[in-house]
Amino acid sequence: MVEVGVSLLALIVVFGAALLGGISGFGFALVSMPFLLVLGFPLALLVPLNLSIALLTRIAVAYHLREHIRYQRVLIMAGASVPGIGLGLVTLGLIASSTIKLVTGVVVIIATALIWRASRRPPARLVPGAPALAGALGGFLGATTSLNGIPAVLLLAREQTAPRRFQGELALFFVLTNTATLILLATQGRLPGVSVLPLGLLWLSVALVANHLGTQLGGKLPAARFRYLAMSLAFLAGVMTILTA
């Protein structure tokens, strides 16, 4: 009965995180990762599953918003993420999962506060090298916690990027970087076995439906409110992760 309850709660978390991600353009891993860790799912399982779900739900978004994307910029971020991914994989072999779980909670709390602050300030001038730095940091966070979107979101929020460009560039970044991360995880033997395939397909099906609904709602509802909601939930989840680490 307990396992059934946990599985149901996990589906609710995946659905809610994907819905918010579809509406706001980001937040799936930011919201889902801490809550799923609290529910007891291991980090080694959540990282590849979150990366895979985010990858597959963002493909259609990237294609739909392709005219709004600054491709050179996204390619710089994605390319710079590769050495960050490599460093993240090295880190995974040196630090215990419990420590990474604690760090995940801290990172989520700090990131949500910074994103909130950046979104409420006037647009800032682009700093040379900022896209590459965001990509490298994103690669490291993606390999260790699946939270590779945080630096890119901070960069775009700091610049007050237009909503459609914000969503499109993030979507393409996720597609490229998550693909690279999953490939490198596979070369290190860090992907889960076929036994988790039913769970992965179930979560993916729920996420695809929720993401589609969120994308449709995103054009009709004030996305800023849902970004704040996603960040508030993520902040709460980060606190819970630290308390249960």
Side-chain angles (χ1 to χ4, degrees):
M1 185 64 69
V2 174
E3 291 184 0
V4 173
V6 170
S7 298
L8 181 59
L9 286 174
L11 285 178
I12 294 173
V13 168
V14 170
F15 182 89
L19 182 68
L20 288 170
I23 292 171
S24 65
F26 74 96
F28 175 73
L30 194 64
V31 172
S32 66
M33 174 60 84
F35 279 114
L36 292 172
L37 283 173
V38 169
L39 288 176
F41 290 92
L43 187 71
L45 171 67
L46 292 178
V47 168
L49 282 184
N50 274 348
L51 290 171
S52 299
I53 291 172
L55 163 63
L56 295 172
T57 55
R58 296 292 94 187
I59 291 176
V61 177
Y63 177 78
H64 180 66
L65 299 177
R66 61 191 182 280
E67 296 180 356
H68 301 272
I69 297 173
R70 294 168 292 185
Y71 288 94
Q72 182 178 3
R73 197 165 197 252
V74 177
L75 289 174
I76 289 173
M77 287 196 296
S81 73
V82 176
I85 296 168
L87 181 59
L89 291 176
V90 172
T91 302
L92 283 176
L94 300 175
I95 300 179
S97 296
S98 58
T99 302
I100 294 177
K101 181 180 178 181
L102 177 63
V103 172
T104 298
V106 174
V107 167
V108 168
I109 290 173
I110 294 174
T112 51
L114 290 175
I115 293 170
W116 192 302
R117 179 174 179 270
S119 66
R120 296 174 66 86
R121 293 170 65 88
R125 187 175 59 183
L126 175 64
V127 177
L133 178 60
L137 291 174
F140 177 81
L141 288 174
T144 53
T145 64
S146 77
L147 300 176
N148 54 2
I150 288 176
V153 169
L154 278 171
L155 177 65
L156 295 173
R158 181 175 179 273
E159 298 171 1
Q160 297 289 301
T161 305
R164 287 302 193 184
R165 174 167 286 176
F166 184 102
Q167 292 177 321
E169 292 187 353
L170 270 182
L172 182 58
F173 175 73
F174 285 138
V175 170
L176 296 176
T177 305
N178 289 14
T179 299
T181 306
L182 288 168
I183 290 173
L184 290 175
L185 284 171
T187 63
Q188 296 291 313
R190 294 185 178 275
L191 293 184
V194 294
S195 60
V196 305
L197 189 58
L199 176 65
L201 290 176
L202 178 60
W203 283 10
L204 175 60
S205 300
V206 170
L208 285 172
V209 172
N211 182 77
H212 177 73
L213 292 174
T215 302
Q216 297 300 312
L217 289 172
K220 303 175 182 178
L221 299 176
R225 294 184 182 179
F226 286 90
R227 288 179 186 169
Y228 293 149
L229 176 59
M231 287 184 282
S232 298
L233 289 172
F235 187 90
L236 174 61
V239 172
M240 292 171 59
T241 302
I242 292 174
L243 294 177
T244 58

